[in-house]
Amino acid sequence: MTSSATIDNKMASAASTQPSAQFADITRNDDTLRRFLHGLPGVDQVGAEARAASLGTRSIKTTAKAWAIDLAIRMVDLTTLEGQDTPGKVRALSAKAMHPDPADSTCPATAAVCVYPDMVGVAKEVLGNSGVNVAAVATAFPSGRAALDIKLADTQDAVQAGADEVDMVIDRGAFLSGRYKQVYDEIVAVREACARPDGSSAHLKVIFETGELQTYDNVRRASWLAMMAGGHFIKTSTGKVQPAATLPVTLVMLEAVRDFREQTGVQIGVKPAGGIRTSKDAIKYLVMVNEIAGDDWLDPDWFRFGASTLLNDLLMQRTKLTTGVYSGPDYFTLD
């Protein structure tokens, strides 16, 4: 097993090299990757769950709560990923992302609209240069079970259609079988497929499906694997498997991005997705971000919520703070 001190030495050395070469020694084959990933400090399950529960009890004052709600709205990837999605639904969702509360011009827009690749063009047509990004799930979402050439074609189709961000899923079967190099190489290949002809690139979010990873140690290992492979964000879940996002899992991922930046100077974003439905839930996550990673992550560039129903509760709470009166649950459009 690799000691924590050895890991620190390797990562400190890696930070002084170019990003493309930082992890060459660690990622050259399954054996080196396994030694590194299994040498990461283990997660104290009881401690992680107790810390997450403790942070979830923090109270927020009214002024801070208003700020937190607006920030959470700005962090939402407003999502529809159903087989029954239609162009009309995606257009309506995109319009809502730009103007979540049409009656209040001070209400901020969401970070992105997240759709299947075939709906990217529809969303892009509505969103234009509004500043709301289009995110597309890809790589045989949600299972991740497809040949690499199909995954890359899926990604390229989304980028060519105008996707600003790509949410890929890892092959959990490969990861759980210890085929870390295969997972690493796929993430690298998908990131390369995110490149545009002008030299820019869609941002890549790497989805773990933490409900299938079985242990917090595996979540930590997947986090480091994705970050070393060049993912811009690490994401908990597809929203199709339960449990999806949880506070303890997100805590482990936040520790990973914090430690990764300390060792490399590279900041990576975190996106919990699935099961976050209320303002109270969202604020718990924001408290955790501040306490575990730091306030640099309290920004839509570095933290997102993947959600379809969260936005409406945020809007209801926002209206209550503004007017003193709760709106009915059907006051805002149902998505």
Side-chain angles (χ1 to χ4, degrees):
M1 299 290 284
T2 306
S3 70
S4 175
T6 301
I7 292 169
D8 288 346
N9 290 338
K10 285 184 177 180
M11 298 307 300
S13 175
S16 65
T17 64
Q18 293 298 317
S20 61
Q22 278 188 353
F23 306 105
D25 288 343
I26 294 170
T27 61
R28 65 179 180 270
N29 57 47
D30 268 324
D31 288 341
T32 55
L33 265 171
R34 184 177 296 106
R35 282 196 297 271
F36 176 78
L37 295 176
H38 285 260
L40 291 169
V43 179
D44 176 355
Q45 178 178 342
V46 174
E49 291 174 353
R51 181 83 191 279
S54 174
L55 291 173
T57 64
R58 298 281 181 87
S59 61
I60 302 293
K61 302 293 185 181
T62 302
T63 302
K65 185 176 181 180
W67 175 84
I69 287 174
D70 275 9
L71 177 60
I73 290 171
R74 293 171 51 225
M75 290 175 165
V76 168
D77 283 0
L78 191 57
T79 302
T80 184
L81 297 170
E82 303 296 335
Q84 62 186 352
D85 286 344
T86 64
K89 180 178 181 181
V90 172
R91 289 190 189 100
L93 200 70
S94 300
K96 182 174 181 176
M98 292 188 292
H99 304 290
D101 185 352
D104 185 352
S105 62
T106 68
C107 183
T110 69
V113 170
C114 186
V115 294
Y116 278 113
D118 64 316
M119 291 293 176
V120 168
V122 175
K124 198 69 177 177
E125 181 181 359
V126 176
L127 295 170
N129 296 319
S130 65
V132 178
N133 287 340
V134 178
V137 295
T139 65
F141 178 96
S143 70
R145 306 310 295 261
L148 180 58
D149 59 344
I150 294 173
K151 294 180 180 181
L152 298 181
D154 199 22
T155 302
Q156 290 163 350
D157 285 348
V159 174
Q160 289 169 8
D164 303 292
E165 303 168 4
V166 170
D167 291 26
M168 72 166 288
V169 284
I170 66 167
D171 183 335
R172 281 85 74 190
F175 180 88
L176 292 170
S177 299
R179 303 198 306 274
Y180 300 129
K181 178 65 170 169
Q182 177 184 331
V183 179
Y184 174 86
D185 286 345
E186 285 198 355
I187 297 170
V188 170
V190 173
R191 172 158 178 170
E192 291 173 352
C194 288
R196 304 187 186 98
D198 65 1
S200 64
S201 178
H203 276 209
L204 178 63
K205 305 192 198 88
V206 184
I207 309 172
F208 303 149
E209 200 67 281
T210 52
E212 294 183 345
L213 292 190
Q214 302 171 359
T215 68
Y216 295 136
D217 284 344
N218 275 340
V219 172
R220 176 168 284 171
R221 291 166 188 154
S223 298
W224 276 86
L225 187 64
M227 293 187 294
M228 290 191 296
H232 298 100
F233 262 74
I234 53 176
K235 177 178 172 181
T236 61
S237 324
T238 64
K240 305 297 185 182
V241 172
Q242 296 301 321
T246 68
L247 287 168
V249 157
T250 306
L251 181 148
V252 172
M253 293 167 65
L254 287 166
E255 288 179 339
V257 298
R258 176 200 65 198
D259 295 347
F260 189 81
R261 190 178 74 168
E262 287 178 358
Q263 298 294 344
T264 69
V266 177
Q267 186 163 340
I268 305 295
V270 176
K271 178 180 174 181
I276 304 171
R277 296 185 174 89
T278 69
S279 301
K280 185 176 181 180
D281 289 339
I283 289 172
K284 289 179 181 179
Y285 279 91
L286 295 182
V287 169
M288 178 175 290
V289 171
N290 187 64
E291 292 294 321
I292 301 299
D295 59 8
D296 284 353
W297 271 267
L298 288 174
D299 186 288
D301 285 343
W302 303 112
F303 195 80
R304 299 280 185 86
F305 294 107
S308 56
T309 59
L310 172 63
L311 180 59
N312 273 16
D313 193 74
L314 290 168
L315 294 173
M316 289 172 61
Q317 295 297 329
R318 190 178 191 275
T319 301
K320 169 63 166 58
L321 289 175
T322 303
T323 67
V325 178
Y326 274 114
S327 303
D330 57 352
Y331 181 79
F332 300 101
T333 58
L334 300 176
D335 308 312

